[in-house]
Amino acid sequence: MIQNPILPGFCPDPSIIRVGDDYYIANSSFEWWPGVKIYHSKDLKHYEQLPSPLNRMSQLNMVGEGDSCGVWAPDISWNGEYFWLIYTDVKTRTGGLFNTYNYLVKSKDIRGGWSEPVYLNSSGFDPSVFHDTDGKMYIVNMINNFKGILVQEYDPVQECLVGEAKNVFPGTGRGYTEGPHIYHIGEYYYLLMAEGGTGYDHMVTMARAKSIWGPYEEDPGNPVLTSDIENPDELQRCGHADIVCTQNGEWYMVHLCSRPPMGSRQCVLGRETAIQKMVWNEEGWLRMACGGNFGQWETEEPEGLAEYTFPEEAEKDYCRDEFDIETLDVRYTSLRQPYDSYTSLTERPGYLRLYGQESLNSCYNVSLVARRQMERHVQVETCVEFTPTCREQMAGLAYMYDTGNFYLLVKTRDEEFGNQTLDLKSPAKLRLIKSDHFDVTDVVQEISIPEETPLFLRVVTTQEGLYAKFFYSLDGKEYKELAELPTKILTDEQSDGFTGAHFGMYCHDMTGLRRYADFDYFEMKMC
């Protein structure tokens, strides 16, 4: 059996394709850099993360964009020659007046060489590319303010949209019609959609027509997939899906889901990716192979596909990075722009050096290298060496959701910038900072610590991930607990966002002097 979620932690809005014996899933990345996560599998059960396709500022510039803006709901496709990736860069999402820019890139190799983007439109978000059996290409997207599904032909030679854009389907009436994909199967064009909003009423619906332009008839069995919201033990928020056919003719649906702890609606893990085996009924509609329409914790494995694991599968429960090579793992991420401009792995071999920039509540230049939280029970640890001269300089471990909601366990000083005289015999300070909707407070009284001693920092999540304990050590052996704090501020529900919690190495220097911090290692393990 395949256990869900197949991609744990912040991996929302999946799009899937098969190319020969290989399967690829693309996920939203929002304000996290690089843009769009790509995962590879050969058995639909085990996955490795590939380099992200949007890794140049010329392809994606998110500097200044707000929380949970950036890359929404990418779609990946293959036409026999090129991989095509379409994505939305959301500049603003306030008051219903979304500014959405849809772009298209392509590559012959999914692992690299992606083109510069072609601008398409700004009429909505969640775009997808449909390759029809006659070779024509179409762009499909929802229309801003959820007014329906827009279809327009795309000319790959001229690299532009051509012909009339048509609203082919207004939705089923369940609201928030988005995430459209079109498939030409047999005599029908099938339109798969997400509806109900991306919260606990999320669902997958379907309609079909004998022409891509409609008219579309709604599936009488809608929703095709949703969640058992009356049973908190089950997968929740199931929706936003895509389907794929295996080499042996079996059908699978990948979809968004969440795992709030039982009895709560606090998704610190954000929106994740699950998979369900599907079948076509006698009337030609898609149904779950297990019956019903609720997302399940497990589903049948494909027939005839040998199990295929990847090296990173062994690091699922434990990973430790000693920073002993000159490149960072593809699973590290940063905010809104590449981390190259403020990191170094060569200036002090065996350490990750971060040059401080703006504070974490900035949407511009933040020095953070992070990994997503993948399970409720996790322990994260790092060791930092840092010599701050004033309160405007701090470095340490961040446990964060976005610019307004985070915890910082950091080393700093009391002195004011411009008035300090650095005396290495005087103590530095350890601070545990909380930001709740930009209301920044110190959780505990500042603690004096030796200036030159490496500082070991640890966070351990407890009580089904609803709380986190913060620790520090001066020798890496004896740890002192500072506080146990609720993780509610790091959830989708509290933050009104679409991402998930991250742990990261962090440094800021608001004097503009770019004082650096050296991190000896980064360790994450499930517990």
Side-chain angles (χ1 to χ4, degrees):
M1 300 294 282
I2 301 176
Q3 304 299 316
N4 282 317
I6 52 173
L7 300 177
F10 167 46
C11 288
D13 310 324
S15 169
I16 188 170
I17 56 168
R18 178 178 64 85
V19 180
D21 294 332
D22 297 285
Y23 296 85
Y24 302 100
I25 294 177
N27 293 105
S28 297
S29 52
F30 294 88
E31 71 265 35
W32 290 93
W33 182 276
V36 179
K37 301 173 186 177
I38 301 287
Y39 294 89
H40 169 230
S41 178
K42 285 185 171 292
D43 59 8
L44 292 176
K45 184 176 183 179
H46 303 283
Y47 296 84
E48 64 171 340
Q49 187 170 346
L50 302 183
S52 294
L54 307 180
N55 54 25
R56 305 189 299 274
M57 292 286 279
S58 59
Q59 297 171 311
L60 178 66
N61 188 339
M62 300 184 291
V63 176
E65 295 180 6
D67 296 324
S68 288
C69 289
V71 177
W72 285 18
D75 170 81
I76 191 167
S77 60
W78 165 256
N79 69 347
E81 181 180 9
Y82 286 100
F83 291 95
W84 299 83
L85 181 75
I86 189 170
Y87 59 98
T88 305
D89 180 9
V90 178
K91 297 298 182 182
T92 63
R93 64 178 188 100
T94 57
L97 300 176
F98 290 12
N99 287 284
T100 59
Y101 292 75
N102 292 319
Y103 297 98
L104 184 65
V105 294
K106 64 181 181 180
S107 176
K108 290 188 175 181
D109 183 356
I110 198 168
R111 289 170 170 80
W114 290 88
S115 68
E116 289 299 296
V118 173
Y119 171 75
L120 299 169
N121 62 33
S122 297
S123 56
F125 50 86
D126 292 6
S128 62
V129 176
F130 168 59
H131 304 273
D132 206 348
T133 51
D134 60 4
K136 289 186 177 182
M137 287 179 62
Y138 298 87
I139 304 300
V140 187
N141 60 266
M142 61 79 71
I143 304 173
N144 276 329
N145 292 315
F146 306 99
K147 294 179 180 178
I149 304 301
L150 194 73
V151 175
Q152 189 172 5
E153 188 177 350
Y154 178 78
D155 186 329
V157 177
Q158 299 183 65
E159 295 188 322
C160 65
L161 291 164
V162 295
E164 180 185 1
K166 183 177 179 181
N167 186 342
V168 300
F169 189 67
T172 69
R174 293 169 171 85
Y176 300 101
T177 303
E178 55 190 341
H181 296 277
I182 290 180
Y183 318 89
H184 192 174
I185 303 171
E187 62 178 324
Y188 287 107
Y189 289 85
Y190 287 90
L191 173 60
L192 194 72
M193 298 159 288
E195 293 194 296
T198 195
Y200 290 85
D201 294 322
H202 208 26
M203 65 186 73
V204 178
T205 57
M206 182 171 270
R208 70 184 181 190
K210 292 192 174 181
S211 165
I212 190 172
W213 305 109
Y216 283 84
E217 61 170 322
E218 182 186 342
D219 182 347
N222 275 333
V224 178
L225 174 74
T226 188
S227 304
D228 185 359
I229 60 176
E230 301 299 324
N231 188 347
D233 286 339
E234 299 301 323
L235 282 179
Q236 298 297 318
R237 303 168 76 188
C238 295
H240 199 114
D242 196 5
I243 57 175
V244 68
C245 184
T246 72
Q247 303 94 304
N248 301 316
E250 295 181 290
W251 287 87
Y252 282 81
M253 175 185 286
V254 291
H255 63 90
L256 177 157
C257 71
S258 285
R259 292 179 288 162
M262 189 176 69
S264 79
R265 289 194 171 184
Q266 297 183 32
C267 293
V268 71
L269 300 175
R271 300 176 304 158
E272 309 172 284
T273 290
I275 192 169
Q276 310 292 339
K277 187 174 183 179
M278 310 297 291
V279 294
W280 296 93
N281 68 11
E282 293 181 356
E283 290 74 36
W285 294 108
L286 195 63
R287 296 290 182 262
M288 293 184 66
C290 64
N293 62 355
F294 292 149
Q296 300 296 308
W297 284 108
E298 60 181 20
T299 195
E300 294 179 32
E301 298 177 30
E303 295 181 5
L305 299 189
E307 192 162 336
Y308 192 101
T309 60
F310 299 95
E312 78 176 49
E313 283 282 313
E315 297 184 359
K316 205 167 187 179
D317 297 329
Y318 176 78
C319 62
R320 182 182 173 99
D321 195 337
E322 300 283 355
F323 304 122
D324 51 4
I325 59 175
E326 295 185 4
T327 57
L328 283 172
D329 190 282
V330 296
R331 289 167 288 181
Y332 284 109
T333 188
S334 58
L335 286 168
R336 296 177 176 82
Q337 58 180 302
Y339 45 66
D340 301 349
S341 64
Y342 59 81
T343 63
S344 173
L345 287 163
T346 59
E347 292 179 17
R348 187 182 178 186
Y351 289 79
L352 173 64
R353 177 164 290 180
L354 265 63
Y355 287 90
Q357 300 183 102
E358 298 168 7
S359 64
L360 192 52
N361 57 19
S362 170
C363 292
Y364 293 86
N365 303 302
V366 175
S367 297
L368 176 82
V369 175
R371 292 274 296 267
R372 76 185 192 273
Q373 182 176 349
M374 297 170 61
E375 297 296 341
R376 294 183 194 135
H377 295 113
V378 63
Q379 175 177 300
V380 176
E381 186 178 298
T382 190
C383 176
V384 62
E385 295 183 23
F386 182 52
T387 309
T389 65
C390 59
R391 290 185 70 84
E392 287 78 15
Q393 298 166 343
M394 59 179 63
L397 185 60
Y399 186 21
M400 65 164 296
Y401 186 93
D402 58 18
T403 62
N405 299 279
F406 55 79
Y407 290 110
L408 292 176
L409 183 55
V410 289
K411 183 179 183 180
T412 185
R413 296 187 73 84
D414 274 342
E415 285 80 2
E416 295 181 4
F417 179 62
N419 297 323
Q420 75 279 18
T421 301
L422 182 60
D423 179 358
L424 294 182
K425 295 181 181 179
S426 67
K429 298 291 185 180
L430 177 68
R431 293 178 65 188
L432 177 54
I433 299 169
K434 173 185 178 181
S435 177
D436 182 349
H437 286 88
F438 296 97
D439 181 13
V440 179
T441 57
D442 279 275
V443 176
V444 297
Q445 187 174 357
E446 294 179 2
I447 298 171
S448 296
I449 55 175
E451 183 65 54
E452 296 180 311
T453 304
L455 180 62
F456 297 82
L457 304 171
R458 178 186 289 173
V459 179
V460 180
T461 59
T462 62
Q463 300 182 49
E464 293 297 308
L466 294 172
Y467 287 82
K469 291 183 178 181
F470 295 82
F471 301 83
Y472 80 99
S473 173
L474 300 179
D475 59 9
K477 298 177 181 179
E478 295 185 10
Y479 280 83
K480 297 180 180 179
E481 182 178 338
L482 292 171
E484 184 176 26
L485 302 170
T487 59
K488 184 178 180 180
I489 64 171
L490 310 178
T491 63
D492 291 353
E493 293 82 357
Q494 173 80 357
S495 304
D496 189 30
F498 306 129
T499 54
H502 288 69
F503 296 95
M505 294 159 286
Y506 170 74
C507 180
H508 84 226
D509 183 354
M510 293 190 292
T511 70
L513 297 177
R514 289 172 63 90
R515 198 164 192 87
Y516 64 79
D518 289 337
F519 292 85
D520 188 17
Y521 65 89
F522 184 81
E523 180 183 84
M524 179 183 293
K525 62 182 178 180
M526 310 311 160
C527 55

